[in-house]
Amino acid sequence: MDDDGTLLPYLLAGAATVASRWADEALRPYGVTTRQFGLLTQLQREPELSTSEIARQLGVSRQSTHEMIGQLEQAGYLRRTAGVDGRSRRIDLTSNAPHLISRMSAAVGRVERRLTADLGDHEREALRLLLRRVLARATDDEAWLPTGGAR
């Protein structure tokens, strides 16, 4: 809590609402939501993620994750294939997904610059690191941390 009594969860929720709205607008031409973009980028970073791991990292239910995967598969970003054990399903990006993710990342990068226009480079990076640490702890998943696991 800061001097005026504003609690951090309230500030984070407000920032998330604005960031999601602006990012959803930027991603609309690609037919993807901010959460779906998050799923695609997580899969790009960690191709071996299971549905449960994706759900945990994104902070959504497995059911929501399955729905997003189905929508992204229908849109041509993902495909489901047989897992190594023959019973499980593997989720892979399609061949055109990396190019589209790159274009979407540029659009979301413009949103980031708009959101943080009043911050300097060091402040922006400090904010990114602090949010990564909060997410790593909240999800019990160090994949949120930068390479090297700095805490």
Side-chain angles (χ1 to χ4, degrees):
M1 180 168 20
D2 65 14
D3 292 342
D4 72 355
T6 306
L7 295 170
L8 207 47
Y10 175 72
L11 293 171
L12 287 169
T17 297
V18 172
S20 292
R21 186 176 337 124
W22 291 0
D24 281 341
E25 288 171 13
L27 293 168
R28 191 167 293 123
Y30 301 96
V32 171
T33 66
T34 302
R35 285 200 186 249
Q36 291 170 331
F37 173 71
L39 188 152
L40 290 170
T41 57
Q42 285 303 110
L43 271 177
Q44 189 172 43
R45 287 185 196 124
E46 299 180 84
E48 301 297 321
L49 286 176
S50 69
T51 304
S52 296
E53 291 166 331
I54 293 167
R56 189 178 69 246
Q57 285 187 7
L58 296 179
V60 298
S61 69
R62 286 190 59 195
Q63 180 179 351
S64 292
T65 303
H66 281 289
E67 288 173 14
M68 283 192 289
I69 289 169
Q71 292 161 347
L72 291 168
E73 184 177 35
Q74 201 169 28
Y77 289 101
L78 299 177
R79 69 177 166 272
R80 295 181 231 207
T81 58
V84 290
D85 64 4
R87 293 178 308 166
S88 62
R89 304 284 284 163
R90 185 178 154 84
I91 307 159
D92 295 313
L93 295 173
T94 58
S95 59
N96 63 337
H99 172 71
L100 291 167
I101 292 168
S102 176
R103 291 181 59 198
M104 288 186 272
S105 293
V108 174
R110 289 188 291 277
V111 170
E112 178 181 317
R113 287 187 295 283
R114 181 177 167 201
L115 278 169
T116 61
D118 293 339
L119 301 181
D121 291 342
H122 292 298
E123 291 173 309
R124 189 176 298 109
E125 287 309 310
L127 177 60
R128 187 183 325 278
L129 177 61
L130 291 170
L131 289 172
R132 285 176 172 273
R133 288 174 55 192
V134 167
L135 286 166
R137 179 150 173 83
T139 62
D140 195 28
D141 190 339
E142 291 193 2
W144 284 107
L145 297 173
T147 307
R151 279 205 181 232

